[in-house]
Amino acid sequence: MEGVIDAVTRDLLTRDEGLDWTVTEFVRVVDARLPPRVFYKHCPELHPEQRQAHHQDAVATPSGVPVHLQLLGSDPEALAANARQALRLGAIGLDLNFGCPAKTVNRHDGGASLLRDPRRVYRVVSAVAEAVGEQIPVTAKIRLGFADRRLALACAQAAEDGGARHLVVHARTRNEGYRPPAHWEWIARIRHCLTIPVIANGDIWTLADYWKARSLSGCEDVMLGRAVLADPALPARIRHWQRTGEQLPATGWQRRADILDAYAQRQRKELPEKVVVSLLKQWLNQMRGRDSEAARRFQALRRETRLAPFLAGLHAAPETPPAAMPAFVD
Ligand SMILES: Cc1cc2nc3c(=O)[nH]c(=O)nc-3n(C[C@H](O)[C@H](O)[C@H](O)COP(=O)(O)O)c2cc1C
């Protein structure tokens, strides 16, 4: 996810079980073949030194969870040239973005704007799939459409016909942005038309959402976006439920504070204090809509710019005993 899931975050989020693979932030392809440094910047896990350091041949987080490279663009030839470049550098999977709703991206004809014409989806997917052949999987991620859902099935079919090995569907149109609800039942319609695996995405925040999304979409797998930041233990809780049928309790504040702390320590090695604090605020902001304690800490720390007091504020004992606080139902 652009601007929020970098290599450090991927590392921290994959230390527990639950995630089968992760995807980088997008590499924006306009016309030229990009130099290796651009790929390494978006996907440090690709770099030979990093792979050596973690004793891994594969492109993966230090815990061994595969990392796929995300490409965003609209020019089939340029995307194909960069797919070959990524392959040469060792990429193990390429995910094509047809979902980005950002005005700047759409104005330049990237992301969800291609969903206005399924033929363009086909051209992009097939050019990239041909460029890498059978060597690595090419996958795609779409929304249900740009302004409406009329072309949802045609775009999904175009991705499959172009050679996508799986399709992630964010169950909203571009114009719906991130507004609830996600239309999981539309994913079922798409799934019925395709032969490749379809993965459900959008508004899966809790175990109950996971179950509902699976039931309504019929998909075996789901993709988690904002929820892994809001509740970093959600993938492990889903996995535990799948394995044992037991629902673990909602993630406590301490677990959230620990991951924020680990994130800060890692980022501080590279970045100035103020930048690290603003990154922490960004992550805490993702947590606060789903966790009352995170909301309270965000409110208390929003003006803090120094790292040490910020971290102390994360770890301070709760003012009210947790049992007396209004709880979010998970
Ligand atoms: C800050 C942010 C950045 C995102 N960046 C990307 C991206 O680079 N590529 C992509 O396919 N989707 C991106 N998305 C969309 C998410 O992957 C996901 O489809 C969407 O948030 C809905 O799923 P969720 O409710 O689980 O978050 C982004 C979403 C957010 C909020």
Side-chain angles (χ1 to χ4, degrees):
M1 286 164 63
E2 184 63 16
V4 285
I5 306 271
D6 60 4
V8 173
T9 327
R10 284 194 288 277
D11 174 8
L12 297 174
L13 290 172
T14 55
R15 288 185 182 180
D16 288 347
E17 62 167 6
L19 295 172
D20 298 307
W21 75 88
T22 66
V23 180
T24 65
E25 293 167 275
F26 60 75
V27 174
R28 180 83 206 279
V29 173
V30 181
D31 45 14
R33 195 179 77 161
L34 297 161
R37 70 181 152 74
V38 176
F39 292 86
Y40 293 144
K41 179 168 162 273
H42 287 82
C43 186
E45 297 93 337
L46 200 55
H47 201 283
E49 274 172 24
Q50 177 139 342
R51 286 198 252 169
Q52 228 168 16
H54 296 121
H55 311 288
Q56 279 167 353
D57 291 333
V59 181
T61 66
S63 318
V65 176
V67 180
H68 294 188
L69 190 82
Q70 182 188 174
L71 299 180
L72 180 147
S74 57
D75 178 339
E77 264 122 65
L79 281 159
N82 282 287
R84 279 190 290 272
Q85 174 81 309
L87 179 64
R88 198 178 62 75
L89 296 172
I92 57 162
L94 297 178
D95 193 48
L96 297 170
N97 178 323
F98 298 103
C100 185
K103 283 207 172 85
T104 40
V105 168
N106 294 164
R107 234 193 338 265
H108 294 98
D109 209 15
S113 72
L114 294 181
L115 299 175
R116 289 186 276 215
D117 183 351
R119 289 168 303 181
R120 299 191 66 200
V121 173
Y122 173 81
R123 277 186 222 125
V124 163
V125 179
S126 59
V128 173
E130 269 167 38
V132 299
E134 292 295 307
Q135 299 183 72
I136 55 172
V138 172
T139 57
K141 177 153 176 282
I142 62 169
R143 284 178 176 249
L144 295 177
F146 192 86
D148 57 52
R149 301 174 207 144
R150 271 178 305 169
L151 294 173
L153 300 178
C155 287
Q157 191 66 57
E160 170 165 313
D161 293 347
R165 299 264 192 99
H166 76 224
L167 182 70
V168 176
V169 181
H170 175 188
R172 276 185 273 253
T173 63
R174 181 267 180 197
N175 284 359
E176 285 170 332
Y178 295 93
R179 260 196 324 279
H183 310 284
W184 294 319
E185 67 286 356
W186 266 81
I187 305 179
R189 297 180 68 172
I190 290 175
R191 198 177 56 78
H192 284 128
C193 298
L194 301 195
T195 59
I196 56 173
V198 173
I199 297 169
N201 170 242
D203 275 353
I204 299 169
W205 298 98
T206 63
L207 291 181
D209 294 338
Y210 161 73
W211 187 247
K212 200 167 172 199
R214 270 198 63 170
S215 308
L216 287 181
S217 69
C219 294
E220 278 187 22
D221 292 305
V222 301
M223 186 225 134
L224 301 175
R226 293 163 297 171
V228 291
L229 296 170
D231 177 2
L234 183 62
R237 292 170 63 221
I238 291 176
R239 183 54 49 88
H240 184 83
W241 192 26
Q242 288 170 335
R243 283 223 187 97
T244 66
E246 180 201 4
Q247 294 194 18
L248 292 173
T251 307
W253 169 251
Q254 194 53 49
R255 171 79 179 86
R256 297 169 203 267
D258 287 346
I259 200 165
L260 290 170
D261 192 308
Y263 179 67
Q265 308 302 340
R266 289 281 299 280
Q267 296 289 23
R268 186 67 187 98
K269 290 183 185 158
E270 311 280 337
L271 300 170
E273 180 177 1
K274 277 196 177 145
V275 177
V276 175
V277 172
S278 70
L279 287 171
L280 280 173
K281 284 182 194 167
Q282 179 175 272
W283 194 337
L284 191 55
N285 186 34
Q286 296 281 347
M287 288 180 179
R288 76 184 167 123
R290 301 273 147 189
D291 182 74
S292 51
E293 189 56 30
R296 201 182 65 71
R297 308 251 172 178
F298 183 86
Q299 191 57 27
L301 294 168
R302 58 200 297 224
R303 295 195 200 292
E304 185 56 71
T305 54
R306 297 157 305 156
L307 185 55
F310 196 98
L311 293 178
L314 291 181
H315 288 296
E319 276 167 16
T320 336
M325 297 194 51
F328 278 76
V329 178
D330 190 334

